[in-house]
Structures are given as structure tokens and as C-alpha cells.
């Protein structure tokens, strides 16, 4: 007999509908799975067989053919195993054919018959919902995550035997487990980090505040002990909370990549800090087999912190140039082409030379310094709206405002941007394309004259000139002003320094 069960697989960070077709016929016992499964899918036979035997379900000693349709789309992971097992029960008349009408099935099987969670349940349930199913059977560990998709009835699956009993009417579906505890507060999430611990450094604090409010990329260069890493680590404490659309996107990415078990919409912006030994696929995405999202996607709607920027591989850094500009990553392979979000704020720190000392105490040769500088290409540096050359403090100054106070200013500035760009394809000032600057920047006549003088100096590229306008727009938003003043343009120019 033939049975068909609706399920889904991950395609990048999106769900791809899969129809699991199971055919059981007379002939020598055999098991064949077709439809471009990966290694995990090809190994599913032994897991499904052991799970059915452990659940007191008879394994059909006949010829079994499993087709994962559509046949031209690669299937990844073991999340189709529960659908395969239920399809075998339908084809063997252990269940009525109608029990899975309008029902989607997700889940990996253990050898003892337990149903294990799958990665990307949020995207998979969303794909099934768009296909017209009314309820979805999901592993109990994914139930809260799956319930984020509206209009779908979620059925918890603890074990294969329990799913069979519930489908046959012998038992009720188990209740969803108690919701997880509330996420930690901002102070708990970021430990003891607080911007009030940064003494003095008014220009650096202003740059950090501007980066948090307008999503501007920030580069800090200076000797060890200048406070670069200390400042960068405190960026998450002043960032505005996620809006609903951003929270949903962050949750989808986390769910698809398995970074955290997403059981509710994300509540805080991601902050990723990969080691400088990270490869290009680790940063950008891709890799062998099914392309996976990289750090730029995991940091989307948040911040990507690259400490010791000069120690990263030059080819990995240059691969960041397109995501920094377009805020998406396009990965093309012979079998597929994927687009991952990369809407992140880059915070980078670097030393001026291999020894890291100031120019008066540097022990590096001219050749070593020049080789070190060449690791950071001019096109990459030009994509940083904010660039600071820091120096180690010479005296202890009074502490500045706390993270809570700075965060309120950032939230107010972000609200002004959201109101200004409502209904438009960009949200933050750093996202504003050069062609729309004249319409949305709001420069006063005096500010425009100051900006023209900076452009005529010849020290700015076209991208740099646009960056000054975008930064000035953020500075005006932080001060709750609709018009950009000449002081805003001058301060924006001061925040785009020549770094060593």
C-alpha cells in the first residue's frame, strides 16, 4: 500500500515542504530511500526500525520504498524519521489512512522510540502552516517554539508509541510542558559590565552610543590597554530591545542553527565574538555539504565583535565587504543558491602594529608595520562609518553615565528612526542608501555647507561623505532634534578618524 505524510526540511534558515511517500509491497524484504537525502537521511532505516521494534510496532518484512518529494531538492537532517515511521504504519494498516489528513509531522527518533527535537522547528512549522495543514506533531522539546506560529494546533510527541496511541484514539495527546523560566534581566545577561566603569573617553563613549543607536560599524585602533575591548564588551548593555520583526528573525536564525533552544521569541540582541582563527565560511557562511549560516548571520539584528582584527585572515576580512554594504549574504552552489540575512553592526578592534605599542615605543620594523597594515584593505576600512584612534588614558577621570542611562537615549533615537522610516525598506540610519540621504538626512543650510567643505578637502571617498551624513543624522536623533546642525556634521567628521 501507499501512504503519504507531510513534513518539512531546512533549506538555509527557511523551511522546505517535503511529502514523505511510503510504499510497502510484496517481495524480498528491502528498504530503499530516494529523493536526495543526506547521510543522516540514508541512515534513518536503522533508527526507524529500532524505534518501531522498541515501541512494540511490527516492522513490515516486505519491500519498502520511501520517496522524499520533491525529488530535486536535497533533504538534510533526521527530522523526517517520525514521518517515515508513521508512513510505514499507514501503509501497513496499523493506522487509519485518514488520521494524518491535514497534519504535519516533525521529529527525529531514538533507538528506544523517543522523539527527539529537531533544529529549525520554527521555520519548519511555518512552512507546513503555509502549505495548509491545521495541526503539527512536533517533539515535546520543540512545542513552545512551534507554538509561536499562529493558527496551528501543536501536538506534543514524547515517543513513537505515544503518537500511535494518540492517533488511534487510545490515549489523549499529552499536554505541553510548563513554559521555560523568564529570560535573565539585562544586568544578569551581561554580567557586571556597565558603561559607568569606563572613565573619561568621551569621544569613544559617543562613538559607541552612535553605533548602538544607528547601527553604524565601528573600528577602534590603539595600543593594548587603551580600552578597546572594554568598550566593545559593553555595547550590548546600551542597545535597544528587539522589535517584533527583529525578534522573529533572530529566533528563526537561532532555531535553524541550533545556537540556543528557542522556546520563545528572542528578547535580546545577539552579540557574537568569534576567535581570529575563524575561517571564511565560519564568518560568512557556506561550508561543505549543505551551506550553513556564518557568524554574520548569527549576529544579524545585533553586533559582531572582531577583536584583534589584524590577526584575521585577509581573505576572510575582505569577504566581509559585501555583507557590510548590502546586509545580506548570497551563497551559490551547484545544487542551490541561498540568501542569509546579515543585518549586523560590526565592532572591531586592532593594534597599530604587531607589537601594539605607541609610535614612540614601537619595536617593529618598517617592513613589519607595513605588512601588518596591508592585512586591512582600504575598501574594508572605508566601510566603517566610525573610526577611532585610541590612546591609553594618562589619568583616572570621573565615571560617565551608566549603561541604563545611555540605553534610554539609544531607545529614544531608535524610536525616531522607526517613525521616520516607517513603511520603507530600511530601518536605521546606517541602512540609509546614498540616493535617499538628501531626502531623509535633514541637513540645515549651515550643516550642508560644513559637509561640502569636508567633501572638497579631498580626504573623503563618496562612501565616506555619505557616512558622515548618516552619522550626523544619528547624532541629531540622540539629541532629539529633527534637523542636523553644523556641530553634528563636525562631530561626525571627528568620529571618522584616520586609524594607524
Amino acid at each position: 500500500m501507499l501512504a503519504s505524510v507531510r513534513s518539512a526540511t531546512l533549506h538555509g534558515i527557511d523551511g522546505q515542504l517535503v511529502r514523505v511517500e511510503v510504499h510497502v509491497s510484496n517481495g524480498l524484504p528491502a528498504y530503499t530511500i530516494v529523493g536526495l537525502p543526506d547521510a543522516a537521511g540514508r541512515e534513518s532505516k536503522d533508527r526507524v526500525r529500532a524505534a518501531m521494534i522498541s515501541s512494540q510496532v511490527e516492522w513490515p518484512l516486505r519491500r519498502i520504498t520511501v520517496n522524499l518529494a520533491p525529488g530535486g531538492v536535497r533533504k538534510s537532517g533526521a527530522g523526517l524519521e517520525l514521518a517515515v515511521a508513521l508512513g510505514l504504519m499507514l501503509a501497513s494498516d496499523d493506522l487509519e489512512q485518514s488520521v494524518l489528513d491535514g497534519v504535519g509531522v516533525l521529529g527525529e527518533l531514538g533507538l528506544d522510540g523517543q522523539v527527539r527535537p529537531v533544529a529549525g522547528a520554527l521555520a519548519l512549522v511555518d512552512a507546513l502552516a503555509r502549505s495548509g495543514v491545521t495541526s503539527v506533531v512536533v517533539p515535546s522539546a520543540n512545542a513552545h517554539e512551534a507554538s509561536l506560529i499562529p493558527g496551528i494546533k501543536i501536538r506534543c510527541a514524547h515517543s513513537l508509541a505515544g503518537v500511535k496511541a494518540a492517533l488511534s484514539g487510545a490515549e489523549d495527546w499529552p499536554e505541553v510542558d510548563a513554559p521555560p523560566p523568564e529570560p535573565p534581566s539585562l544586568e544578569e545577561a551581561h554580567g557586571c559590565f556597565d558603561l559607568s566603569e569606563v572613565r573619561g573617553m568621551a569621544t569613544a563613549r559617543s562613538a559607541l552610543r552612535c553605533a548602538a543607536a544607528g547601527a553604524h560599524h565601528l573600528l577602534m585602533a590603539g595600543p593594548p590597554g587603551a580600552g578597546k575591548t572594554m568598550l566593545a564588551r559593553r555595547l550590548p548593555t546600551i542597545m535597544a530591545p528587539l522589535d517584533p520583526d527583529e525578534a522573529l528573525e533572530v529566533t528563526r536564525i537561532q532555531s535553524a542553527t541550533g545556537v540556543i533552544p528557542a522556546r520563545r521569541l528572542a528578547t535580546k540582541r545577539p552579540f557574537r565574538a568569534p576567535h581570529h582563527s575563524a575561517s571564511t565560511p565560519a564568518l560568512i557562511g557556506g561550508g561543505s555539504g549543505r551551506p550553513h549560516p556564518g557568524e554574520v548571520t548569527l549576529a544579524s539584528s545585533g553586533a559582531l565583535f572582531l577583536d584583534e582584527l589584524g590577526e584575521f585572515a585577509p581573505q576572510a576580512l575582505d569577504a566581509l565587504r559585501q555583507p557590510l554594504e548590502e546586509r545580506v549574504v548570497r551563497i551559490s552552489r551547484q545544487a542551490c543558491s541561498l540568501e542569509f540575512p546579515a543585518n549586523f553592526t560590526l565592532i572591531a578592534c586592532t593594534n597599530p602594529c604587531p607589537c601594539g605599542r605607541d609610535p614612540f615605543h614601537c619595536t617593529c620594523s618598517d617592513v613589519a608595520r607595513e605588512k601588518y597594515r596591508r592585512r586591512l584593505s582600504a575598501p574594508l576600512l572605508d566601510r566603517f562609518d566610525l573610526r577611532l584612534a585610541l590612546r591609553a588614558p594618562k589619568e583616572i577621570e570621573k565615571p560617565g553615565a551608566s549603561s541604563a542611562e545611555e540605553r534610554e537615549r539609544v531607545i529614544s533615537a531608535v524610536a525616531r528612526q522607526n517613525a521616520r522610516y516607517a513603511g520603507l525598506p530600511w530601518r536605521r540610519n546606517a541602512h540609509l542608501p546614498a540616493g535617499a540621504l538628501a531626502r531623509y538626512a535633514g541637513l540645515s543650510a549651515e550643516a550642508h555647507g560644513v559637509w561640502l567643505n569636508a567633501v572638497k578637502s579631498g580626504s573623503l571617498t563618496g562612501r565616506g561623505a555619505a557616512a558622515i551624513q548618516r552619522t550626523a543624522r544619528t547624532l541629531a536623533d540622540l539629541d532629539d532634534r529633527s534637523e542636523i546642525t553644523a556641530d553634528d556634521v563636525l562631530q561626525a567628521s571627528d568620529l571618522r578618524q584616520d586609524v594607524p
Side-chain angles (χ1 to χ4, degrees):
M1 289 187 63
L2 176 66
S4 180
V5 182
R6 277 191 275 193
S7 189
T9 188
L10 275 180
H11 185 68
I13 61 171
D14 298 318
Q16 168 72 48
L17 185 67
V18 175
R19 188 170 289 275
V20 179
E21 300 173 340
V22 180
H23 186 264
V24 178
S25 61
N26 294 328
L28 293 175
Y31 183 96
T32 304
I33 182 168
V34 296
L36 294 182
D38 63 357
R42 292 190 294 271
E43 293 171 353
S44 64
K45 169 195 172 181
D46 296 319
R47 285 192 293 270
V48 172
R49 182 176 182 274
M52 291 180 66
I53 294 174
S54 299
S55 304
Q56 308 301 315
V57 179
E58 183 180 358
W59 175 263
L61 295 176
R62 303 165 68 186
R63 183 173 183 82
I64 301 170
T65 303
V66 178
N67 178 43
L68 309 178
V73 177
R74 291 190 176 276
K75 320 302 185 304
S76 60
L80 302 174
E81 291 175 355
L82 181 58
V84 172
L86 294 180
L88 282 170
M89 295 182 196
L90 294 175
S92 302
D93 291 332
D94 287 335
L95 287 173
E96 293 291 335
Q97 286 281 344
S98 59
V99 295
L100 289 180
D101 289 346
V103 179
V105 178
L106 299 171
E108 177 184 346
L109 292 176
L111 299 185
D112 57 354
Q114 296 297 306
V115 181
R116 295 175 176 171
V118 297
L122 186 67
L124 300 178
V125 174
D126 183 45
L128 288 167
R130 287 186 277 107
S131 72
V133 303
T134 56
S135 62
V136 181
V137 179
V138 300
S140 56
N142 294 124
H144 289 284
E145 178 185 353
S147 63
L148 296 174
I149 302 299
I152 292 292
K153 185 179 293 185
I154 302 301
R155 304 294 194 184
C156 279
H158 294 292
S159 65
L160 180 60
V163 172
K164 180 186 177 185
L167 288 174
S168 61
E171 296 179 5
D172 294 331
W173 287 100
E175 295 291 333
V176 178
D177 295 337
E182 289 294 322
S185 65
L186 183 68
E187 291 75 15
E188 295 171 332
H190 300 295
C192 60
F193 292 152
D194 194 278
L195 204 55
S196 62
E197 298 165 348
V198 179
R199 295 178 177 268
M201 305 182 72
T203 301
R205 290 172 62 98
S206 178
L208 198 69
R209 186 191 313 123
C210 191
H216 301 280
H217 305 307
L218 169 62
L219 172 64
M220 294 180 283
K228 305 184 298 295
T229 303
M230 178 181 65
L231 284 163
R233 288 290 181 182
R234 281 154 180 77
L235 176 67
T237 67
I238 66 172
M239 298 181 80
L242 294 165
D243 64 37
D245 291 339
E246 290 173 329
L248 181 59
E249 181 181 82
V250 171
T251 305
R252 286 175 66 94
I253 294 170
Q254 292 174 342
S255 172
T257 56
V259 175
I260 62 171
R263 294 188 172 187
R264 55 160 49 90
L265 287 180
T267 56
K268 62 179 182 178
R269 295 186 182 274
F271 183 81
R272 305 287 299 180
H275 190 260
H276 58 73
S277 61
S279 64
T280 301
L283 278 178
I284 307 302
S288 58
R290 179 172 67 91
H292 290 272
E295 292 290 340
V296 298
T297 299
L298 296 175
S300 192
S301 297
L304 176 65
F305 175 41
L306 300 184
D307 202 2
E308 304 296 342
L309 188 68
E311 300 299 330
F312 282 80
Q315 60 268 29
L317 294 179
D318 285 335
L320 286 170
R321 285 152 55 177
Q322 182 264 341
L324 286 173
E325 191 80 14
E326 300 184 10
R327 299 187 183 270
V328 295
V329 172
R330 298 180 182 89
I331 297 177
S332 297
R333 297 289 185 268
Q334 184 177 10
C336 65
S337 180
L338 300 173
E339 183 174 292
F340 294 133
N343 185 22
F344 63 97
T345 301
L346 177 60
I347 309 297
C349 301
T350 185
N351 294 322
C353 62
C355 76
R357 299 179 181 177
D358 59 69
F360 299 103
H361 301 89
C362 180
T363 59
C364 301
S365 65
D366 293 340
V367 174
R369 282 195 295 270
E370 186 61 28
K371 182 179 180 181
Y372 193 80
R373 291 192 186 102
R374 283 203 301 267
R375 298 174 74 91
L376 306 179
S377 64
L380 175 65
L381 294 176
D382 200 34
R383 283 166 168 79
F384 286 95
D385 290 358
L386 309 172
R387 302 190 307 222
L388 296 181
L390 300 182
R391 297 289 182 267
K394 296 182 179 179
E395 60 183 23
I396 298 178
E397 302 183 39
K398 294 182 179 179
S402 67
S403 290
E405 294 171 319
E406 297 286 10
R407 190 167 185 257
E408 289 303 316
R409 291 188 64 184
V410 169
I411 291 174
S412 177
V414 170
R416 291 181 65 87
Q417 295 174 50
N418 289 337
R420 182 185 305 118
Y421 306 131
L424 298 173
W426 50 83
R427 297 180 181 177
R428 311 287 287 279
N429 288 334
H431 303 170
L432 196 63
L437 274 173
R439 181 176 178 184
Y440 293 101
L443 273 74
S444 65
E446 185 181 5
H448 190 263
V450 173
W451 177 77
L452 281 179
N453 289 335
V455 173
K456 292 176 181 177
S457 68
S459 61
L460 292 173
T461 64
R463 184 183 286 110
I468 288 179
Q469 284 198 27
R470 288 192 291 258
T471 303
R473 178 66 268 170
T474 300
L475 293 171
D477 288 336
L478 284 165
D479 289 338
D480 200 17
R481 284 184 278 101
S482 59
E483 190 175 58
I484 298 174
T485 65
D487 288 341
D488 294 327
V489 176
L490 290 173
Q491 187 178 356
S493 300
D494 290 340
L495 293 177
R496 190 178 175 85
Q497 303 171 4
D498 291 331
V499 295

